[in-house]
Amino acid sequence: MKNKLKILRAERNYTQEDLAEIIGVSRQAINAIEKEKFDPSLPTAFRLSKLFQLPIEEIFYFDKN
């Protein structure tokens, strides 16, 4: 699964640590999600959606290639 998390985080000038603290996960989890090594849990995806005020599918998507 692909995601726009790094872009969205940078647009708001959040560090990985800032974002991790806001949504209640570790900085390592944010790093793994951004590098697409880990898919977030559904509750984490909803918290990110609420924070960025975007539908989940605009943050996370499948790459057809």
Coordinates of all heavy atoms in Angstrom, one line a residue:
M1 N 0.8 -1.2 0.0 CA 0.0 0.0 0.0 C 0.9 1.2 0.0 O 1.9 1.3 0.7 CB -0.9 0.0 1.2 CG -1.9 1.1 1.3 SD -3.3 1.1 2.4 CE -2.6 0.3 3.8
K2 N 0.5 2.2 -0.8 CA 1.3 3.5 -0.9 C 0.6 4.5 0.0 O -0.6 4.3 0.4 CB 1.2 4.0 -2.3 CG 1.8 3.1 -3.3 CD 3.3 3.0 -3.2 CE 3.9 2.2 -4.3 NZ 5.3 2.0 -4.2
N3 N 1.3 5.6 0.3 CA 0.7 6.6 1.1 C 1.3 8.0 0.9 O 2.4 8.0 0.3 CB 0.7 6.3 2.6 CG 2.1 6.3 3.2 OD1 2.6 7.4 3.4 ND2 2.7 5.2 3.4
K4 N 0.6 9.0 1.3 CA 1.1 10.4 1.1 C 1.5 11.0 2.5 O 1.6 12.2 2.6 CB 0.0 11.3 0.5 CG -0.5 10.8 -0.9 CD -1.6 11.7 -1.3 CE -2.1 11.3 -2.7 NZ -3.3 12.1 -3.1
L5 N 1.7 10.1 3.5 CA 1.9 10.6 4.8 C 3.1 11.6 4.9 O 3.0 12.6 5.6 CB 2.1 9.4 5.8 CG 2.2 9.8 7.2 CD1 0.9 10.5 7.7 CD2 2.3 8.5 8.1
K6 N 4.2 11.3 4.3 CA 5.4 12.1 4.4 C 5.1 13.5 3.8 O 5.5 14.5 4.4 CB 6.6 11.5 3.7 CG 7.9 12.2 3.9 CD 9.0 11.5 3.3 CE 10.3 12.2 3.6 NZ 11.5 11.4 3.1
I7 N 4.4 13.6 2.7 CA 4.1 14.8 2.1 C 3.1 15.6 3.0 O 3.3 16.8 3.2 CB 3.4 14.6 0.7 CG1 4.4 14.0 -0.3 CG2 2.8 15.9 0.1 CD1 3.8 13.4 -1.5
L8 N 2.1 15.0 3.5 CA 1.1 15.7 4.4 C 1.8 16.2 5.6 O 1.5 17.3 6.1 CB 0.0 14.7 4.7 CG -0.9 14.3 3.5 CD1 -1.8 13.2 3.9 CD2 -1.7 15.5 3.0
R9 N 2.7 15.4 6.2 CA 3.4 15.8 7.4 C 4.3 17.0 7.1 O 4.3 18.0 7.9 CB 4.2 14.6 7.9 CG 5.0 14.9 9.2 CD 5.8 13.7 9.7 NE 6.7 13.2 8.7 CZ 7.9 13.7 8.5 NH1 8.3 14.8 9.1 NH2 8.7 13.1 7.6
A10 N 5.0 17.0 6.0 CA 5.9 18.1 5.6 C 5.1 19.3 5.4 O 5.6 20.4 5.8 CB 6.7 17.7 4.4
E11 N 3.9 19.2 4.8 CA 3.1 20.4 4.5 C 2.7 21.1 5.8 O 2.5 22.3 5.7 CB 1.9 20.0 3.7 CG 2.1 19.7 2.3 CD 0.9 19.1 1.6 OE1 -0.2 18.9 2.2 OE2 1.0 18.9 0.3
R12 N 2.6 20.4 6.8 CA 2.2 21.0 8.1 C 3.4 21.2 9.0 O 3.2 21.5 10.2 CB 1.2 20.1 8.7 CG -0.2 20.2 8.0 CD -1.0 19.0 8.1 NE -2.2 19.1 7.4 CZ -2.4 18.8 6.1 NH1 -1.4 18.4 5.4 NH2 -3.5 18.9 5.5
N13 N 4.6 21.0 8.5 CA 5.8 21.2 9.3 C 5.8 20.4 10.6 O 6.3 20.8 11.6 CB 6.0 22.7 9.6 CG 6.3 23.5 8.4 OD1 7.0 23.1 7.5 ND2 5.6 24.7 8.3
Y14 N 5.3 19.2 10.5 CA 5.4 18.2 11.6 C 6.6 17.4 11.5 O 7.0 17.0 10.4 CB 4.2 17.3 11.7 CG 2.9 17.8 12.0 CD1 1.7 17.3 11.4 CD2 2.7 18.9 12.9 CE1 0.5 17.8 11.7 CE2 1.4 19.4 13.2 CZ 0.3 18.8 12.6 OH -0.9 19.3 12.9
T15 N 7.3 17.2 12.6 CA 8.4 16.2 12.5 C 7.7 14.8 12.7 O 6.5 14.7 13.1 CB 9.4 16.4 13.7 OG1 8.7 16.2 14.9 CG2 10.0 17.8 13.7
Q16 N 8.5 13.8 12.5 CA 7.9 12.4 12.7 C 7.5 12.3 14.2 O 6.5 11.7 14.6 CB 8.9 11.3 12.4 CG 9.1 11.2 10.9 CD 10.0 10.1 10.5 OE1 10.8 9.6 11.3 NE2 10.0 9.6 9.3
E17 N 8.4 12.9 15.1 CA 8.1 12.8 16.5 C 6.8 13.6 16.9 O 6.0 13.1 17.7 CB 9.3 13.4 17.3 CG 9.2 13.2 18.8 CD 9.4 11.8 19.2 OE1 10.3 11.1 18.6 OE2 8.7 11.4 20.2
D18 N 6.6 14.8 16.2 CA 5.4 15.5 16.5 C 4.1 14.7 16.1 O 3.2 14.6 16.8 CB 5.3 16.8 15.6 CG 6.4 17.8 16.0 OD1 6.9 17.8 17.1 OD2 6.7 18.6 15.0
L19 N 4.2 14.2 14.9 CA 3.0 13.4 14.4 C 2.8 12.2 15.3 O 1.6 11.9 15.6 CB 3.3 13.0 12.9 CG 2.1 12.3 12.2 CD1 0.8 13.1 12.3 CD2 2.5 12.0 10.8
A20 N 3.9 11.5 15.6 CA 3.7 10.3 16.5 C 3.0 10.7 17.8 O 2.1 10.0 18.2 CB 5.1 9.7 16.8
E21 N 3.4 11.8 18.4 CA 2.8 12.2 19.7 C 1.4 12.6 19.5 O 0.5 12.2 20.3 CB 3.6 13.4 20.3 CG 3.1 13.8 21.6 CD 4.0 14.8 22.3 OE1 5.2 14.8 22.0 OE2 3.5 15.7 23.0
I22 N 1.0 13.3 18.4 CA -0.3 13.7 18.2 C -1.3 12.5 18.0 O -2.4 12.5 18.6 CB -0.4 14.6 16.9 CG1 0.3 15.9 17.2 CG2 -1.9 14.9 16.5 CD1 0.5 16.8 15.9
I23 N -0.9 11.5 17.3 CA -1.8 10.4 17.0 C -1.6 9.2 18.0 O -2.3 8.2 17.9 CB -1.8 9.9 15.6 CG1 -0.5 9.4 15.1 CG2 -2.2 11.1 14.7 CD1 -0.5 8.6 13.8
G24 N -0.6 9.3 18.8 CA -0.4 8.3 19.8 C 0.3 7.0 19.4 O -0.1 5.9 19.8
V25 N 1.3 7.1 18.5 CA 2.1 6.0 18.1 C 3.6 6.4 18.3 O 3.9 7.5 18.6 CB 1.8 5.6 16.6 CG1 0.4 5.1 16.5 CG2 2.2 6.7 15.7
S26 N 4.5 5.4 18.0 CA 5.9 5.7 18.1 C 6.4 6.4 16.9 O 5.8 6.3 15.8 CB 6.7 4.5 18.4 OG 6.7 3.7 17.2
R27 N 7.5 7.1 17.0 CA 8.2 7.8 15.9 C 8.6 6.7 14.9 O 8.5 6.9 13.7 CB 9.4 8.6 16.3 CG 10.0 9.4 15.1 CD 11.4 9.8 15.4 NE 12.3 8.7 15.7 CZ 12.8 7.8 14.8 NH1 12.5 8.0 13.5 NH2 13.6 6.8 15.2
Q28 N 9.0 5.6 15.4 CA 9.4 4.5 14.5 C 8.2 4.0 13.7 O 8.4 3.6 12.5 CB 10.0 3.3 15.3 CG 11.3 3.6 16.0 CD 11.2 4.4 17.3 OE1 10.1 4.7 17.8 NE2 12.4 4.7 17.9
A29 N 7.1 4.0 14.2 CA 5.9 3.6 13.5 C 5.6 4.5 12.3 O 5.3 4.1 11.2 CB 4.6 3.5 14.4
I30 N 5.7 5.8 12.6 CA 5.5 6.8 11.6 C 6.6 6.6 10.5 O 6.2 6.6 9.3 CB 5.6 8.3 12.1 CG1 4.5 8.5 13.2 CG2 5.6 9.3 11.0 CD1 3.1 8.5 12.6
N31 N 7.8 6.4 10.9 CA 8.9 6.2 9.9 C 8.6 5.0 9.0 O 8.7 5.0 7.8 CB 10.2 6.0 10.6 CG 11.4 5.9 9.6 OD1 11.5 6.8 8.8 ND2 12.2 4.9 9.8
A32 N 8.1 3.9 9.6 CA 7.8 2.6 8.9 C 6.7 2.8 8.0 O 6.7 2.3 6.8 CB 7.6 1.5 9.9
I33 N 5.6 3.6 8.4 CA 4.5 3.8 7.5 C 4.9 4.7 6.3 O 4.6 4.4 5.2 CB 3.4 4.5 8.3 CG1 2.8 3.6 9.4 CG2 2.3 5.0 7.4 CD1 1.9 4.3 10.4
E34 N 5.7 5.7 6.6 CA 6.2 6.6 5.5 C 7.0 5.8 4.5 O 6.9 6.1 3.3 CB 7.0 7.8 6.1 CG 6.2 8.8 6.7 CD 7.0 10.0 7.2 OE1 8.2 10.0 7.0 OE2 6.3 11.0 7.7
K35 N 7.8 4.9 5.0 CA 8.6 4.1 4.1 C 7.9 2.9 3.5 O 8.5 2.1 2.8 CB 9.9 3.7 4.8 CG 10.8 4.9 5.1 CD 12.1 4.4 5.7 CE 13.0 5.7 5.9 NZ 14.3 5.5 5.7
E36 N 6.6 2.8 3.8 CA 5.8 1.8 3.3 C 6.3 0.4 3.6 O 6.1 -0.6 2.9 CB 5.6 1.9 1.8 CG 4.9 3.3 1.5 CD 4.9 3.7 0.0 OE1 5.6 3.0 -0.8 OE2 4.2 4.7 -0.3
K37 N 6.9 0.3 4.8 CA 7.3 -1.0 5.4 C 6.2 -1.6 6.3 O 6.4 -2.7 6.8 CB 8.6 -0.8 6.1 CG 9.8 -0.5 5.2 CD 11.1 -0.3 6.0 CE 12.2 0.0 5.1 NZ 13.5 0.2 5.8
F38 N 5.3 -0.8 6.6 CA 4.3 -1.1 7.6 C 3.0 -0.4 7.3 O 3.0 0.7 6.9 CB 4.8 -0.7 9.0 CG 3.8 -0.9 10.1 CD1 3.7 -2.1 10.7 CD2 3.1 0.2 10.7 CE1 2.8 -2.3 11.8 CE2 2.3 0.1 11.7 CZ 2.1 -1.2 12.3
D39 N 1.9 -1.2 7.3 CA 0.5 -0.6 7.1 C 0.0 -0.2 8.5 O 0.0 -1.0 9.4 CB -0.4 -1.6 6.4 CG 0.0 -1.8 5.0 OD1 0.7 -0.9 4.3 OD2 -0.2 -2.9 4.5
P40 N -0.6 1.0 8.6 CA -1.2 1.4 9.9 C -2.4 0.5 10.2 O -3.1 0.0 9.4 CB -1.5 2.8 9.7 CG -1.8 2.9 8.2 CD -0.9 2.0 7.5
S41 N -2.7 0.5 11.5 CA -3.9 -0.1 12.0 C -5.1 0.8 11.5 O -4.9 1.9 11.2 CB -3.9 -0.3 13.5 OG -4.0 1.0 14.1
L42 N -6.3 0.2 11.5 CA -7.4 1.0 11.1 C -7.6 2.2 12.1 O -7.9 3.3 11.6 CB -8.7 0.1 11.1 CG -9.9 0.7 10.4 CD1 -9.6 1.2 9.0 CD2 -11.0 -0.4 10.3
P43 N -7.5 2.0 13.4 CA -7.6 3.2 14.3 C -6.6 4.3 14.0 O -6.9 5.5 14.0 CB -7.5 2.6 15.7 CG -7.9 1.2 15.6 CD -7.4 0.8 14.2
T44 N -5.4 3.9 13.7 CA -4.3 4.9 13.3 C -4.7 5.6 12.0 O -4.5 6.8 11.9 CB -2.9 4.2 13.2 OG1 -2.6 3.6 14.5 CG2 -1.9 5.2 12.8
A45 N -5.1 4.8 11.0 CA -5.5 5.4 9.8 C -6.7 6.5 10.0 O -6.6 7.5 9.4 CB -6.0 4.4 8.8
F46 N -7.6 6.1 10.8 CA -8.7 7.1 11.1 C -8.2 8.3 11.8 O -8.6 9.4 11.6 CB -9.8 6.4 11.9 CG -10.8 5.7 11.1 CD1 -10.8 4.3 11.0 CD2 -11.8 6.4 10.4 CE1 -11.8 3.7 10.2 CE2 -12.7 5.8 9.6 CZ -12.7 4.4 9.5
R47 N -7.2 8.1 12.8 CA -6.7 9.3 13.5 C -5.9 10.2 12.5 O -6.0 11.4 12.6 CB -5.8 8.9 14.6 CG -6.6 8.3 15.8 CD -5.7 8.2 17.1 NE -4.7 7.2 16.9 CZ -4.8 5.9 17.3 NH1 -5.9 5.5 17.7 NH2 -3.8 5.1 17.1
L48 N -5.2 9.6 11.5 CA -4.5 10.4 10.5 C -5.5 11.1 9.6 O -5.3 12.3 9.3 CB -3.6 9.5 9.7 CG -2.3 9.0 10.5 CD1 -1.7 7.9 9.7 CD2 -1.3 10.1 10.7
S49 N -6.5 10.4 9.2 CA -7.6 11.0 8.4 C -8.2 12.2 9.1 O -8.4 13.3 8.5 CB -8.7 9.9 8.1 OG -9.8 10.5 7.5
K50 N -8.5 12.1 10.4 CA -9.1 13.2 11.1 C -8.1 14.3 11.3 O -8.5 15.5 11.1 CB -9.5 12.7 12.5 CG -10.2 13.7 13.3 CD -10.7 13.2 14.7 CE -11.4 14.2 15.5 NZ -11.8 13.7 16.8
L51 N -6.9 14.0 11.6 CA -5.9 15.1 11.7 C -5.7 15.9 10.4 O -5.7 17.1 10.5 CB -4.5 14.5 12.2 CG -3.4 15.4 12.2 CD1 -3.6 16.5 13.4 CD2 -2.1 14.7 12.5
F52 N -5.6 15.2 9.3 CA -5.3 15.9 8.0 C -6.6 16.3 7.3 O -6.5 16.9 6.3 CB -4.5 15.0 7.1 CG -3.1 14.7 7.6 CD1 -2.6 13.5 7.9 CD2 -2.2 15.8 7.9 CE1 -1.3 13.3 8.4 CE2 -0.9 15.6 8.4 CZ -0.5 14.3 8.6
Q53 N -7.7 15.9 7.9 CA -9.0 16.3 7.4 C -9.2 15.8 5.9 O -9.6 16.6 5.0 CB -9.3 17.8 7.5 CG -9.3 18.2 8.9 CD -9.6 19.7 9.1 OE1 -9.4 20.5 8.2 NE2 -9.9 20.1 10.3
L54 N -8.8 14.6 5.7 CA -8.9 14.0 4.4 C -9.4 12.6 4.5 O -9.2 11.9 5.6 CB -7.5 13.8 3.8 CG -6.7 15.1 3.4 CD1 -5.3 14.8 3.0 CD2 -7.5 15.7 2.2
P55 N -10.2 12.1 3.5 CA -10.6 10.7 3.6 C -9.4 9.7 3.6 O -8.3 10.1 3.0 CB -11.4 10.5 2.3 CG -11.7 11.9 1.8 CD -10.6 12.8 2.3
I56 N -9.5 8.6 4.3 CA -8.4 7.7 4.4 C -7.9 7.3 3.0 O -6.7 7.2 2.8 CB -8.9 6.4 5.1 CG1 -9.1 6.7 6.6 CG2 -7.9 5.2 5.0 CD1 -9.7 5.6 7.4
E57 N -8.8 7.2 2.0 CA -8.3 6.8 0.6 C -7.5 7.9 -0.1 O -6.9 7.6 -1.1 CB -9.5 6.3 -0.2 CG -10.5 7.3 -0.4 CD -11.7 7.3 0.6 OE1 -11.4 6.8 1.7 OE2 -12.7 7.8 0.3
E58 N -7.5 9.1 0.5 CA -6.7 10.1 -0.1 C -5.3 10.1 0.6 O -4.4 10.8 0.1 CB -7.3 11.5 0.0 CG -8.5 11.7 -1.0 CD -9.0 13.1 -1.0 OE1 -8.2 14.0 -0.8 OE2 -10.2 13.2 -1.4
I59 N -5.2 9.4 1.7 CA -3.9 9.3 2.3 C -3.2 7.9 2.0 O -2.0 7.9 1.7 CB -4.0 9.4 3.9 CG1 -4.7 10.7 4.2 CG2 -2.7 9.2 4.6 CD1 -5.1 10.8 5.7
F60 N -4.0 6.9 1.9 CA -3.5 5.5 1.7 C -4.2 5.0 0.4 O -5.4 5.2 0.3 CB -3.8 4.6 2.8 CG -3.2 5.1 4.1 CD1 -3.9 5.8 5.0 CD2 -1.8 4.8 4.4 CE1 -3.3 6.3 6.2 CE2 -1.2 5.3 5.5 CZ -2.0 6.0 6.5
Y61 N -3.4 4.4 -0.5 CA -4.0 3.9 -1.7 C -3.2 2.7 -2.2 O -2.0 2.6 -1.9 CB -4.1 5.0 -2.8 CG -2.8 5.7 -3.0 CD1 -2.0 5.3 -4.1 CD2 -2.3 6.7 -2.2 CE1 -0.7 5.9 -4.3 CE2 -1.1 7.3 -2.4 CZ -0.3 6.9 -3.5 OH 0.9 7.5 -3.7
F62 N -3.7 1.9 -3.1 CA -3.0 0.8 -3.7 C -2.4 1.3 -5.0 O -3.1 2.0 -5.8 CB -3.9 -0.4 -4.0 CG -4.2 -1.1 -2.7 CD1 -5.5 -1.0 -2.1 CD2 -3.3 -2.0 -2.1 CE1 -5.8 -1.7 -1.0 CE2 -3.6 -2.7 -1.0 CZ -4.8 -2.5 -0.4
D63 N -1.2 0.9 -5.2 CA -0.5 1.3 -6.5 C -0.8 0.1 -7.5 O -0.5 -1.0 -7.2 CB 1.0 1.4 -6.3 CG 1.7 1.9 -7.5 OD1 1.0 2.2 -8.5 OD2 2.9 1.9 -7.5
K64 N -1.4 0.4 -8.6 CA -1.8 -0.7 -9.5 C -0.6 -1.2 -10.3 O -0.7 -2.2 -11.0 CB -2.8 -0.1 -10.5 CG -4.1 0.2 -9.8 CD -5.1 0.8 -10.7 CE -6.4 1.1 -10.0 NZ -7.4 1.8 -10.8
N65 N 0.6 -0.6 -10.2 CA 1.8 -1.0 -11.0 C 2.5 -2.1 -10.2 O 2.7 -2.3 -9.2 CB 2.7 0.1 -11.3 CG 2.1 1.1 -12.2 OD1 1.3 0.7 -13.1 ND2 2.3 2.4 -11.9

